Amino acid sequence: GAVVSQHPSWVICKSGTSVKIECRSLDFQATTMFWYRQFPKQSLMLMATSNEGSKATYEQGVEKDKFLINHASLTLSTLTVTSAHPEDSSFYICSAIAGGNEQFFGPGTRLTVL
Amino acid sequence: DAKTTQPNSMESNEEEPVHLPCNHSTISGTDYIHWYRQLPSQGPEYVIHGLTSNVNNRMASLAIAEDRKSSTLILHRATLRDAAVYYCILSRYSGYALNFGKGTSLLVTP
């Protein structure tokens, strides 16, 4: 199956700093990628839809100025958490559509903000 | 999207078959039934999907009720590696963002 990678797999940062997470489709091109967030013991929640070459679409309650998404190419989308705070600590997961009727997910990035 | 209902948890013995149920009484005619699973600290993994007919692949089988108001994911021989949270999700197209519910946490014991 298609492979989606994320980098880094985990990151620890100080409160107030910004963190960038990369999502790459390794063997296919993805015009659309999704970003999800998962808090401990909870399910995945959609944060935004990332479209190549255009602005991302954010879900209600997700601050677009805080979670910056850039989908500059057909194989790369980035999520930047700006001025991160402890409440932003979470498991961030991206996914991409490879064609057909399957959505492939990345392995996730564990963000811990001290 | 129509809602699905799954048991919070299930337990199975290793090498036994596992039947994971999912109710979706408000499913529309164009909704596909998708199953994903998530191992601890990993992203979700596609398992199987179907529309009306039963489906088989190397990972599992999907049995869909004739009225499509319920479905069952069947793992033919559970292994310890199958311990995960299994999500039953309805979507007209996998190209849409998926609405993950709480899923069923499967525990496999040796």
Side-chain angles (χ1 to χ4, degrees):
Chain A
V3 178
V4 176
S5 70
Q6 285 184 239
H7 179 80
S9 56
W10 59 270
V11 56
I12 302 173
C13 69
K14 293 182 178 180
S15 184
T17 61
S18 294
V19 174
K20 180 184 285 188
I21 302 170
E22 293 185 348
C23 176
R24 293 182 185 273
S25 54
L26 297 186
D27 49 2
F28 65 98
Q29 294 183 330
T31 55
T32 301
M33 293 183 173
F34 301 103
W35 285 96
Y36 296 82
R37 179 167 55 180
Q38 185 175 33
F39 292 108
K41 304 292 185 183
Q42 295 187 23
S43 189
L44 282 77
M45 294 296 294
L46 178 68
M47 296 178 66
T49 301
S50 170
N51 296 300
E52 188 267 337
S54 64
K55 290 183 178 181
T57 302
Y58 292 83
E59 294 299 297
Q60 191 173 9
V62 177
E63 300 175 57
K64 63 180 181 180
D65 295 329
K66 182 172 183 60
F67 299 99
L68 302 179
I69 293 173
N70 184 8
H71 194 155
S73 78
L74 288 172
T75 58
L76 174 64
S77 176
T78 60
L79 168 68
T80 301
V81 184
T82 63
S83 187
H85 292 286
E87 57 265 31
D88 299 322
S89 298
S90 188
F91 194 47
Y92 292 86
I93 304 167
C94 71
S95 69
I97 312 302
N101 205 16
E102 294 181 35
Q103 188 171 143
F104 293 91
F105 288 81
T109 296
R110 177 81 56 195
L111 170 62
T112 301
V113 184
L114 302 177
Chain B
D1 290 331
K3 187 177 178 180
T4 62
T5 303
Q6 299 177 252
N8 289 331
S9 62
M10 292 185 65
E11 190 169 339
S12 173
N13 294 321
E14 195 176 12
E15 298 189 3
E16 296 284 325
V18 181
H19 290 231
L20 298 166
C22 181
N23 288 320
H24 29 79
S25 58
T26 60
I27 189 171
S28 74
T30 55
D31 282 336
Y32 283 83
I33 302 161
H34 301 264
W35 284 83
Y36 284 79
R37 72 180 186 180
Q38 186 178 25
L39 279 65
S41 297
Q42 295 188 29
E45 175 187 26
Y46 169 82
V47 178
I48 201 166
H49 77 277
L51 184 61
T52 55
S53 302
N54 294 344
V55 185
N56 299 299
N57 66 21
R58 63 176 180 81
M59 289 183 67
S61 295
L62 175 60
I64 302 173
E66 197 168 330
D67 63 5
R68 299 212 325 129
K69 294 184 176 182
S70 66
S71 61
T72 302
L73 178 70
I74 302 166
L75 307 179
H76 296 287
R77 288 185 66 204
T79 69
L80 297 179
R81 292 181 60 188
D82 290 322
V85 178
Y86 287 78
Y87 297 98
C88 169
I89 303 169
L90 303 183
S91 180
R92 295 178 187 177
Y93 169 50
S94 190
Y96 296 156
L98 298 176
N99 184 10
F100 286 82
K102 295 183 178 180
T104 296
S105 179
L106 175 65
L107 174 66
V108 181
T109 54

